[in-house]
Amino acid sequence: MKSRGREQTSLSRWIWLSFFKIALIPLVVIGVVFVIIYFMTNMWSQRTFTSYMDKSIANEMLIIADSESGTISQQLDGISESVDLYAKQLLRAYDGPVKLTEEDAARLKWRDDGIYYTEADSKTGGAAVFYSGYVPVGEPEKDKTAKLLTTQYLMKDMQQSNPLIASIYINTFDSLNIIYPYFDVLSQYPLYMDIPGYNFYYEADEAHNPERKTVWTDSYLDPAGHGWMASAIKPIYRNGKLEGVAGIDITIGTIVQRVLNLSIPYDGYCMLVGNDGMLIAIPAAGEGDWGVNELTDHHYQEAILQDTFKPDAFNLLQRSDITAFTNMLFEEETGVTRLMLTDDYHEVAWSTIDGIGWKLIIVLPTANIYAESNHIRSQITETGIVIIAGFLAIYIIYYAVLFRRAFHIAEEIGTPLREINDVVLKIGEGEYFHTSPVYMVSELAETSEGIVRMGEHLGEANEQLMSTQRQLIQSQRDLEALVVALEDIVIECDAEGNILNLWSDKMSLLQEYEKDENGYTVNTFFGREVGERITNQFLKVAREGVSSQIEFKLKDHDVERWYQAKIVQIAKASNAFAVSAREVTERVMMEQSVIASKEIAEKANLSKTEFIAQLSNELRTSLNAVLGFAQVLKYDEKSLDHNQMEAVSEIINAGAHLLSQTNLIFNYSRVESGAIELNIESIKMADLFEEVSSIVRHLSSQTGVEVQIRTSECSEYSILADRVRLKQILINLLSNAINYNKPDGTVVVYCEALDDCMRFHVVDTGYGIPASEIENIFTPFYRIQQKDNTKDGSGIGLSVSKELIEAMEGQMGVESTVGEGSHFWFDLRLSDV
């Protein structure tokens, strides 16, 4: 017998299945959840610990790398400073007298093949000399040798005072080498050695070192027999010619020893890489990882005849398997990454050594870092397996007990449950109201009564649901009436543009279009062009999850109107969209009117600028003619009496003033229109103030105002500016400070160098500017409104000056106190020259 399409089963089986579902399965689920939580918690802890370890190790590696690279950088900076000092002493020696001691004269020999050299060391230890004979050696060359040999005791002191210095030397353009400590040069150097052909010379020449500063060479095999080394070299120029190169050698072995002595945790190690990618120093622990054997020594069977560098196997840039790492290494100053070396991961951190550009790299085997962590993870896994085994044992015992108990319960509650089941079936068929049967077992009686009450509640809820449904239908009708009453067009459509619902008073528009095979669509309502624009927005709205807006024109009974439509997706998982369109014709027409007015204003401003420029040009031509003829009359003193001469002077003064104002107006028009061209160059401050001071001296002599120019603190600096415009700005500010000063007043001009700019100050003891006028003084054609302001002027000098300063990437400002004076200042960029 079947009920509801399912097989009937015995009560004992049903109870057992019920127990299985509501008791055993939840317990199993809870056990599984606890086991999952156990493993997930430990996995989370492990990941958190690993993440913390990653950050800690990375920070520790960076700290070590930065600290050690800083130490090496300081030591190498000391070498660079020493070679600079030695180069200065060599320049003095070049210009000094020939001083050759008897001892040095005795140990200097000249061979028939043109080689000039020292055959022995001095008693107190001196430098070795080798004139290779590549360039013929005569008396001038011997004199030069004697001059330069005067620095050998300085070489000795410098070499002995710094343990990093292997040797110190001077190489000249004509293949003279003076080097300390002394060694047998004939047994080490090749005859006719062309010294400028070696990297420790040509890397300092004009082609390789145009800035003429101290530079470091790549690692190379020293011809002087000191093995692998790097050199700090400094070019020596005399009268613009490269006379020679001073250098200090440090052996790679010294650097390697320092790197090897670093204490790195987790059996890590350090190594050095040159800025050309060449491995400079690598300890034995890293040779297997990087596939090289460090070259810290070399056997000199014969003299080194040319540059000798480390083989390509030492160049990391030649390694295709670590290209990503080398790109990061040479693009970033410091960094940390994980790198696969010899089938094992390694943590790698690096820092750049300032001044020389070498990279100090720290390498830690990843397996060593996480060895203890991996051991703990293994123990956690074993513990989890034991927990799972315990849960299985408990569930098997519980299963057996539960199975026996199911049969006893079936006998006790079988009949009441069938009756209760009948009541439930009737409630399911819609008979909600029943009388509760009476049972001896209180739990069954309560269950029966609860089911009867549930039926009553379901009946009452069903009546309420039907009432609510009727109210929803009425609310839907009210909503449709409200939307139709709005002026907006509201459309519901699918992704293909088919209209599902439409609320609008524009229903008559549909009559102007024909239906397609799918009925009315946004194409038939708005027209094909606008309809396609709307449907194209559906994909964007669905993808980005935000609304979209478009504007379009719509023909409404032969009248074109502008509408703005907002498009939204009705539900995120739905394929339906809402389009709400509102008429915005009035706003669009207003925007178009504003744009047209702006274009008219811009054309008017351009016409004004062109008019001022043309008018200024005509005025300057005429004024130059007037001034020219007036100056001719002034020089004709015999033909003019005293009054006529005064009149001519007045003409010249007035014409000059008018020409000055015309030029200001012309400059203003050019600045305002952006047509002015600037010639930015490096200007020496001392030269600038020398040019300006003579002009200002003439102005101050006519007014009695004392002008003090204090430029000693910044006279050695250079700035980037247009020389003519800068003089114009300074003269303008100084003229204002003099003209608007008090009788017997003072004007102070000084400057100060800031971080990356030079600030000019012009301070006067004049009447000052009221606070209410400060914000207006840089406005074109504006003049301070004061009763005693009788000075001539157009009011554009300050505005032109400010525009020119800003055009030269500077800024200008002013501070003023009424009755005490004004303080104008402006900034311009410093030049690197």
Side-chain angles (χ1 to χ4, degrees):
M1 188 182 203
K2 294 184 179 181
S3 177
R4 298 184 187 179
R6 296 180 62 187
E7 270 190 32
Q8 291 185 343
T9 184
S10 64
L11 180 61
S12 60
R13 179 177 174 80
W14 180 83
I15 292 174
W16 159 245
L17 292 175
S18 298
F19 279 155
F20 184 82
K21 292 177 182 178
I22 66 175
L24 186 60
I25 291 179
L27 286 175
V28 173
V29 171
I30 291 172
V32 172
V33 168
F34 273 119
V35 172
I36 292 173
I37 291 174
Y38 171 80
F39 280 104
M40 290 184 66
T41 302
N42 285 284
M43 288 174 62
W44 175 83
S45 301
Q46 187 70 23
R47 284 197 300 269
T48 303
F49 177 74
T50 302
S51 176
Y52 171 76
M53 284 289 293
D54 287 341
K55 294 179 181 178
S56 298
I57 293 298
N59 289 334
E60 184 177 356
M61 292 174 70
L62 281 177
I63 290 172
I64 295 174
D66 288 341
S67 175
E68 294 302 326
S69 65
T71 302
I72 295 175
S73 177
Q74 290 177 358
Q75 293 175 338
L76 296 181
D77 285 344
I79 300 295
S80 297
E81 292 172 359
S82 297
V83 78
D84 286 342
L85 173 62
Y86 179 50
K88 292 178 182 178
Q89 295 300 318
L90 286 171
L91 277 174
R92 292 191 179 96
Y94 267 109
D95 297 328
V98 177
K99 292 182 180 180
L100 189 63
T101 64
E102 293 181 1
E103 184 181 17
D104 287 335
R107 64 193 188 98
L108 280 167
K109 301 298 179 182
W110 185 83
R111 297 190 353 165
D112 293 339
D113 53 6
I115 296 175
Y116 191 55
Y117 68 100
T118 50
E119 67 174 0
D121 194 1
S122 66
K123 295 179 181 180
T124 58
V129 176
F130 181 71
Y131 233 131
S132 73
Y134 186 81
V135 175
V137 179
E139 290 303 323
E141 285 73 24
K142 293 181 179 180
D143 289 344
K144 179 169 68 174
T145 302
K147 290 180 179 181
L148 298 181
L149 200 55
T150 58
T151 64
Q152 62 180 325
Y153 297 109
L154 173 62
M155 299 165 70
K156 178 179 180 180
D157 292 340
M158 293 174 65
Q159 193 271 340
Q160 293 180 352
S161 64
N162 192 331
L164 286 179
I165 298 177
S167 59
I168 182 168
Y169 58 85
I170 167 68
N171 289 315
T172 68
F173 71 96
D174 52 357
S175 295
L176 166 63
N177 171 253
I178 300 177
I179 184 168
Y180 181 88
Y182 176 85
F183 59 89
D184 185 4
V185 293
L186 291 183
S187 64
Q188 194 64 47
Y189 287 144
L191 303 182
Y192 305 109
M193 177 182 181
D194 181 18
I195 290 179
Y198 287 77
N199 69 316
F200 49 75
Y201 187 94
Y202 63 70
E203 287 188 11
D205 63 18
E206 189 72 24
H208 295 81
N209 183 20
E211 298 178 358
R212 302 182 179 183
K213 62 182 182 180
T214 299
V215 295
W216 282 87
T217 67
D218 298 325
S219 57
Y220 64 93
L221 190 61
D222 182 26
H226 294 129
W228 293 101
M229 63 171 44
S231 298
I233 53 177
K234 171 77 173 182
I236 301 172
Y237 285 87
R238 296 181 67 228
N239 300 322
K241 173 187 175 184
L242 179 59
E243 192 71 33
V245 175
I248 293 179
D249 293 337
I250 59 172
T251 59
I252 297 300
T254 304
I255 301 175
V256 171
Q257 194 60 38
R258 174 170 181 83
V259 172
L260 292 175
N261 290 335
L262 293 179
S263 177
I264 306 300
Y266 302 107
D267 296 330
Y269 57 89
C270 285
M271 62 184 192
L272 280 177
V273 176
N275 48 23
D276 60 347
M278 194 67 70
L279 277 170
I280 296 173
I282 182 169
E287 292 176 354
D289 292 338
W290 300 89
V292 296
N293 291 319
E294 177 60 295
L295 301 176
T296 57
D297 197 5
H298 182 82
H299 298 290
Y300 288 83
Q301 283 83 17
E302 57 183 14
I304 302 302
L305 302 179
Q306 57 184 1
D307 284 342
T308 303
F309 302 105
K310 284 189 175 183
D312 288 342
F314 283 80
N315 196 324
L316 298 186
L317 295 176
Q318 303 297 325
R319 296 273 299 271
S320 60
D321 56 328
I322 57 171
T323 301
F325 165 68
T326 54
N327 289 339
M328 288 190 298
L329 180 66
F330 291 101
E331 288 175 0
E332 301 175 8
E333 294 292 322
T334 60
V336 180
T337 189
R338 179 167 290 174
L339 186 63
M340 174 69 75
L341 296 172
T342 60
D343 299 328
D344 288 320
Y345 282 107
H346 292 71
E347 308 299 319
V348 181
W350 67 89
S351 180
T352 303
I353 300 174
D354 293 336
I356 193 170
W358 293 355
K359 304 288 184 176
L360 178 67
I361 301 178
I362 297 177
V363 182
L364 301 181
T366 305
N368 293 358
I369 298 174
Y370 298 104
E372 184 65 25
S373 175
N374 293 333
H375 177 68
I376 295 174
R377 181 185 300 175
S378 176
Q379 290 182 332
I380 291 173
T381 302
E382 293 175 359
T383 303
I385 293 173
V386 172
I387 293 174
I388 293 173
F391 272 121
L392 289 176
I394 293 172
Y395 288 147
I396 291 173
I397 297 171
Y398 182 71
Y399 176 86
V401 174
L402 194 64
F403 186 77
R404 291 189 61 187
R405 186 62 181 162
F407 287 99
H408 294 288
I409 296 176
E411 295 295 328
E412 296 174 359
I413 63 175
T415 302
L417 283 179
R418 283 194 293 272
E419 293 177 354
I420 292 173
N421 185 60
D422 290 338
V423 173
V424 171
L425 289 175
K426 291 179 181 179
I427 291 174
E429 293 173 354
E431 298 180 15
Y432 298 109
F433 302 97
H434 297 273
T435 303
S436 176
V438 178
Y439 299 112
M440 296 300 295
V441 179
S442 61
E443 287 81 358
L444 291 174
E446 292 174 358
T447 301
S448 175
E449 185 178 353
I451 290 174
V452 170
R453 271 196 239 120
M454 179 188 69
E456 294 173 354
H457 292 157
L458 287 174
E460 294 172 356
N462 183 63
E463 292 179 359
Q464 293 178 357
L465 180 62
M466 297 298 293
S467 175
T468 302
Q469 185 175 1
R470 290 191 294 270
Q471 293 177 1
L472 285 174
I473 293 173
Q474 182 61 38
S475 298
Q476 177 71 14
R477 292 172 180 170
D478 294 342
L479 177 62
E480 291 178 356
L482 176 62
V483 173
V484 171
L486 296 175
E487 295 182 0
D488 292 358
I489 302 172
V490 181
I491 297 176
E492 179 187 0
C493 57
D494 59 20
E496 287 72 31
N498 299 313
I499 295 178
L500 306 177
N501 287 300
L502 186 148
W503 300 273
S504 174
D505 60 352
K506 309 290 185 183
M507 296 293 292
S508 59
L509 290 177
L510 289 175
Q511 299 174 2
E512 299 184 17
Y513 305 99
E514 296 181 359
K515 293 183 181 180
D516 56 21
E517 63 274 9
N518 297 321
Y520 285 115
T521 66
V522 291
N523 290 351
T524 60
F525 187 78
F526 293 107
R528 181 171 298 278
E529 180 180 353
V530 175
E532 290 179 352
R533 289 180 59 195
I534 292 175
T535 54
N536 289 337
Q537 295 295 315
F538 289 164
L539 181 60
K540 176 183 176 182
V541 170
R543 182 178 65 252
E544 299 179 358
V546 296
S547 63
S548 178
Q549 289 187 349
I550 63 170
E551 290 188 359
F552 56 87
K553 288 191 293 185
L554 188 65
K555 191 174 181 181
D556 186 1
H557 298 90
D558 297 329
V559 178
E560 288 189 341
R561 302 181 185 276
W562 281 93
Y563 285 84
Q564 184 183 70
K566 184 175 182 180
I567 303 167
V568 297
Q569 191 173 14
I570 293 179
K572 193 165 186 180
S574 171
N575 202 27
F577 297 85
V579 180
S580 175
R582 172 170 295 181
E583 184 179 352
V584 291
T585 304
E586 183 177 352
R587 176 180 64 76
V588 172
M589 299 302 293
M590 184 178 297
E591 290 176 352
Q592 293 176 351
S593 175
V594 170
I595 293 172
S597 299
K598 181 176 180 294
E599 291 177 352
I600 293 172
E602 289 177 347
K603 290 180 180 179
N605 186 58
L606 180 60
S607 299
K608 178 206 72 174
T609 302
E610 292 177 352
F611 171 74
I612 291 176
Q614 293 175 0
L615 179 61
S616 299
N617 186 52
E618 294 295 332
L619 285 174
R620 287 193 299 168
T621 302
S622 301
L623 285 172
N624 284 326
V626 171
L627 288 173
F629 284 114
Q631 289 169 353
V632 170
L633 289 174
K634 184 174 182 180
Y635 288 120
D636 191 6
E637 299 179 355
K638 295 179 180 180
S639 302
L640 301 177
D641 57 24
H642 178 71
N643 291 333
Q644 290 173 333
M645 288 295 292
E646 288 185 350
V648 169
S649 297
E650 288 296 327
I651 292 172
I652 293 174
N653 292 336
H657 174 70
L658 184 57
L659 179 61
S660 173
Q661 299 303 311
T662 303
N663 285 333
L664 280 174
I665 295 173
F666 178 68
N667 286 334
Y668 170 73
S669 67
R670 292 183 66 194
V671 170
E672 185 185 42
S673 64
I676 191 167
E677 296 182 357
L678 298 176
N679 180 24
I680 303 299
E681 59 180 318
S682 179
I683 303 172
K684 191 78 172 179
M685 293 289 294
D687 298 340
L688 172 67
F689 280 108
E690 184 177 353
E691 295 175 12
V692 174
S693 62
S694 59
I695 301 173
V696 174
R697 196 179 301 114
H698 173 72
L699 293 174
S700 65
S701 64
Q702 295 178 338
T703 59
V705 175
E706 180 185 2
V707 179
Q708 301 176 7
I709 299 180
R710 305 170 183 173
T711 61
S712 59
E713 295 183 0
C714 54
S715 60
E716 295 302 321
Y717 288 89
S718 296
I719 58 173
L720 293 173
D722 185 306
R723 182 182 295 272
V724 175
R725 302 302 178 185
L726 180 55
K727 286 169 58 179
Q728 177 184 344
I729 294 166
L730 282 171
I731 292 172
N732 186 27
L733 293 177
L734 288 168
S735 298
N736 286 347
I738 293 171
N739 292 333
Y740 294 94
N741 213 319
K742 296 177 182 178
D744 299 326
T746 303
V747 176
V748 178
V749 181
Y750 66 96
C751 52
E752 58 178 330
L754 303 180
D755 292 338
D756 57 352
C757 66
M758 178 66 68
R759 176 162 291 184
F760 295 78
H761 301 269
V762 179
V763 182
D764 64 62
T765 58
Y767 297 101
I769 304 171
S772 60
E773 303 282 353
I774 288 290
E775 62 182 12
N776 299 320
I777 62 174
F778 293 111
T779 303
F781 304 106
Y782 183 85
R783 302 194 66 200
I784 298 176
Q785 305 299 318
Q786 293 181 347
K787 295 181 179 179
D788 57 349
N789 186 2
T790 60
K791 300 293 183 180
D792 295 331
S794 59
I796 61 174
L798 288 177
S799 63
V800 170
S801 298
K802 189 172 187 296
E803 293 285 350
L804 289 173
I805 288 295
E806 291 175 351
M808 291 186 283
E809 301 183 11
Q811 58 180 342
M812 175 179 282
V814 61
E815 300 172 355
S816 184
T817 303
V818 176
E820 296 182 7
S822 301
H823 174 194
F824 284 83
W825 57 267
F826 62 89
D827 297 340
L828 288 174
R829 293 176 299 156
L830 284 170
S831 171
D832 294 334
V833 179

